[in-house]
Amino acid sequence: MARKSQDGLAEPDDEVALDRLRSMKEEHQLSPWDVVRNYPALVWWAFFFAVSAVGWGFDAQVNGAVISVPEFRRKFGYIYEGEPTIPAAWLSAFNMISSVGQFVGGFLCSIIADRLGRRWGLAVGVVFSCGGIFGEIFSAVRPAFLISKLILGVGLGFYLTIGPLYCSEISPVVLRGITTAGVNLGIVVGQLLSNAAIRGFGGRNDSWAYRGPFAVQFFFIAFFAIGLPFSVESPWYLVHRNDLDGARHALQRLYGRNTNIEVKLKAIQTTVAEELALPESSWVECFQGTNLIRTGISTGVFICQHFTGIIFVISFSTYFFELAGLPTSDSFSLGVGVTACGLVGNILSWVVISSYGRRKIFLTGMISLTICLLLIGILDVVPTNAANWTQASFTVVYCFIYQITIGSVAFVLLGEVSSPRLRAKTTALATAVQSVFGIAMNIAVPYMVNPDAGNMRGKVGFVFGGLALWATVVSFFYIPELKGRTFDEIDTMFAKRITPRKMGRYMIDEDSS
């Protein structure tokens, strides 16, 4: 109960506490359907920014899928044992150069998003991406193609940073898991569109067999170019810039004219005021005190993704099917099937995450993916056509499990674990870690599977199965359960140094009383 002064009015500290309680209570009382029905503008703009992940997913998939196009291999490769083949060194370069650009783009996006806003962050990313796509389409030699992919990678670094950042900031707690998981849905949709484009163009006998899929990416450019001028800036950013009128206007646009947004604005102001009372945030702060744990979890979930072999199983799936001895047309179709099953899994993840939380789903996914990888490795030892098809089937199962579990939950945890004060920087660090491990895996995997190098084929499953097992053990101790928690509650638990694996059972209300 609030304290009263002699004139009967609540004292300022109590007013702040009451505002927080009101805002927290309002959020906890909402259901996902309430948000969709009553705040369509909020849902639309969360979707709009999440589409940035579609562009990232498209490029990530087309990197590996375009290798399965014979015309691409003839243009940028050489003839090895009668078949067009791209040298392992160049194959690694083609796939890792985009991650180098993403590493740079993630940090640039953090700076621009903090200084100019989330909308400008996305706009700059669109410009970089547009230039890179032009280069990919019209490059005639390997070096020019690599430079184009580097420029595109910078834009994709903006995409992958701004999507989860914006969605986590504008979403009510009941919708936060769905919208941040929606970023991963965007990635999967991009992968599906990429494989569909490869399936549609890949059989051509001219340069548009590979140029066509690259050109499809202009759809995303047009989508953002049309929508960005009308988009809503993040209220959190505007309050940070002390633009209260702008924040009030943004909240009104997100929640509608019939909603009293003053309580929400005051809650944001209070949280931001506490942050601004501290020294200006720095990159070093991400690695100090409890922020070190928060940064470790936010970035570690993406390391887990790479340790489960996501680059090998999904990005190189079509090429892997060809190397396993399946016909080219069947390999294209299976590549589409892999991403289609992933799309279904990601949509189902919205229900699963809302019902079962974060920790249980993440750990279940890690265990299941480890088993899948080991089975893929074992089946590669069996020299039969049936084993090849079974092995291919396990990649489809893998993709479904991945997207319904760690593929989606990683983005949810990134949006929840990172502190509001350091969220842009933490998101940039997560993008950087994603890029660094993407570079490492895109260098290593071609040397493992390419016919003129390691030629390990499905035996790579043993390598990633071992890495996934180790990551599962670490995840058990560090993955928290944050379902239904507001940012205030999450901050409180980390400030009190509650062990991450025990956060799901921690009672905030009892402690406060």
Side-chain angles (χ1 to χ4, degrees):
M1 181 178 292
R3 298 193 310 274
K4 301 288 184 178
S5 61
Q6 291 182 351
D7 59 5
L9 298 175
E11 293 179 1
D13 288 345
D14 292 329
E15 289 180 0
V16 170
L18 287 172
D19 284 338
R20 278 186 162 177
L21 286 173
R22 290 191 196 101
S23 180
M24 190 182 300
K25 186 177 180 180
E26 284 181 8
E27 290 207 23
H28 280 305
Q29 288 177 339
L30 288 172
S31 69
W33 174 242
D34 289 333
V35 178
V36 172
R37 182 182 58 189
N38 297 321
Y39 313 126
L42 186 150
V43 175
W44 163 253
W45 290 117
F47 165 78
F48 178 85
F49 275 79
V51 170
S52 63
V54 179
W56 189 91
F58 191 101
D59 185 78
Q61 186 70 10
V62 84
N63 275 348
V66 78
I67 300 162
S68 63
V69 177
E71 190 62 32
F72 182 82
R73 297 200 299 269
R74 276 190 285 270
K75 177 66 177 180
F76 295 103
Y78 72 109
I79 302 300
Y80 178 76
E81 295 184 355
E83 292 293 330
T85 303
I86 296 177
W90 277 102
L91 184 56
S92 294
F94 282 162
N95 285 285
M96 59 82 74
I97 197 69
S98 179
S99 296
V100 174
Q102 290 172 42
F103 180 88
V104 176
F107 286 110
L108 284 178
C109 182
S110 171
I111 295 170
I112 292 174
D114 273 346
R115 294 185 180 180
L116 301 179
R118 288 26 173 170
R119 298 168 70 220
W120 273 106
L122 181 56
V124 173
V126 169
V127 172
F128 273 108
S129 298
C130 187
I133 295 166
F134 266 114
E136 280 185 329
I137 294 173
F138 298 108
S139 294
V141 293
R142 293 172 185 167
F145 188 81
L146 286 179
I147 293 172
S148 300
K149 289 204 71 64
L150 176 65
I151 294 171
L152 176 58
V154 174
L156 297 175
F158 277 77
Y159 283 179
L160 195 60
T161 301
I162 210 69
L165 172 62
Y166 184 88
C167 290
S168 65
E169 286 186 336
I170 73 164
S171 300
V173 63
V174 71
L175 202 66
R176 195 171 60 224
I178 295 175
T179 56
T180 49
V183 173
N184 191 61
L185 174 64
I187 292 175
V188 179
V189 169
Q191 292 171 341
L192 178 61
L193 290 173
S194 174
N195 273 336
I198 292 291
R199 181 73 179 86
F201 286 94
R204 293 174 63 100
N205 295 319
D206 58 13
S207 62
W208 284 100
Y210 61 88
R211 286 179 173 178
F214 294 142
V216 170
Q217 296 176 93
F218 279 122
F219 169 80
F220 314 129
I221 301 296
F223 178 81
F224 289 127
I226 293 171
L228 264 173
F230 307 99
S231 61
V232 182
E233 184 56 85
S234 165
W236 285 82
Y237 163 76
L238 293 168
V239 172
H240 267 286
R241 304 300 294 179
N242 201 31
D243 183 2
L244 299 185
D245 288 337
R248 185 176 287 108
H249 179 67
L251 284 168
Q252 206 74 72
R253 285 189 63 191
L254 291 171
Y255 285 91
R257 295 186 178 278
N258 296 325
T259 302
N260 183 358
I261 48 81
E262 291 303 320
V263 172
K264 300 180 186 298
L265 179 60
K266 287 180 181 178
I268 296 175
Q269 282 182 266
T270 302
T271 303
V272 171
E274 290 175 352
E275 296 174 10
L276 295 177
L278 300 171
E280 186 176 352
S281 64
S282 66
W283 291 100
V284 174
E285 192 176 343
C286 294
F287 304 97
Q288 294 176 334
T290 57
N291 286 326
L292 175 61
I293 298 176
R294 301 177 81 156
T295 301
I297 296 170
S298 299
T299 57
V301 290
F302 293 100
I303 296 175
C304 287
Q305 290 183 346
H306 282 290
F307 276 12
T308 58
I310 184 63
I311 295 292
F312 163 61
V313 178
I314 295 183
S315 296
F316 286 87
S317 59
T318 305
Y319 189 42
F320 168 62
F321 295 147
E322 286 188 336
L323 294 178
L326 301 181
T328 299
S329 60
D330 289 338
S331 297
F332 284 157
S333 298
L334 274 170
V336 175
V338 166
T339 48
C341 284
L343 177 62
V344 173
N346 195 270
I347 293 173
L348 291 177
S349 74
W350 295 353
V351 178
V352 174
I353 290 171
S354 297
S355 302
Y356 299 101
R358 287 63 164 144
R359 176 178 169 82
K360 186 183 296 184
I361 298 170
F362 195 92
L363 293 179
T364 301
M366 290 297 297
I367 294 169
S368 302
L369 293 174
T370 301
I371 294 171
C372 274
L373 287 164
L374 293 176
L375 288 173
I376 289 173
I378 292 170
L379 286 167
D380 197 72
V381 180
V382 183
T384 66
N385 188 55
N388 291 340
W389 278 100
T390 306
Q391 191 181 57
S393 299
F394 266 111
T395 63
V396 177
V397 174
Y398 171 103
C399 192
F400 178 81
I401 295 172
Y402 175 89
Q403 299 298 356
I404 203 172
T405 57
I406 72 171
S408 301
V409 177
F411 288 95
V412 178
L413 288 170
L414 172 61
E416 293 179 334
V417 174
S418 55
S419 71
R421 169 181 168 80
L422 298 169
R423 185 167 295 126
K425 290 182 172 62
T426 305
T427 306
L429 286 171
T431 301
V433 167
Q434 174 90 303
S435 301
V436 168
F437 277 84
I439 292 169
M441 296 304 174
N442 277 309
I443 290 174
V445 170
Y447 280 101
M448 292 185 200
V449 303
N450 226 45
D452 63 347
N455 199 27
M456 292 177 67
R457 301 192 305 179
K459 296 182 186 68
V460 177
F462 290 125
V463 177
F464 287 111
L467 290 173
L469 180 61
W470 180 84
T472 301
V473 174
V474 176
S475 297
F476 174 81
F477 293 99
Y478 286 99
I479 297 299
E481 180 51 72
L482 302 175
K483 177 178 177 287
R485 303 287 197 179
T486 65
F487 287 131
D488 272 346
E489 291 173 317
I490 294 170
D491 284 346
T492 298
M493 289 191 290
F494 277 106
K496 291 183 175 296
R497 298 181 181 274
I498 306 301
T499 303
R501 65 189 178 92
K502 296 181 180 179
M503 286 183 174
R505 301 190 299 272
Y506 187 73
M507 303 298 292
I508 295 283
D509 291 338
E510 289 182 7
D511 181 77
S512 299
S513 63

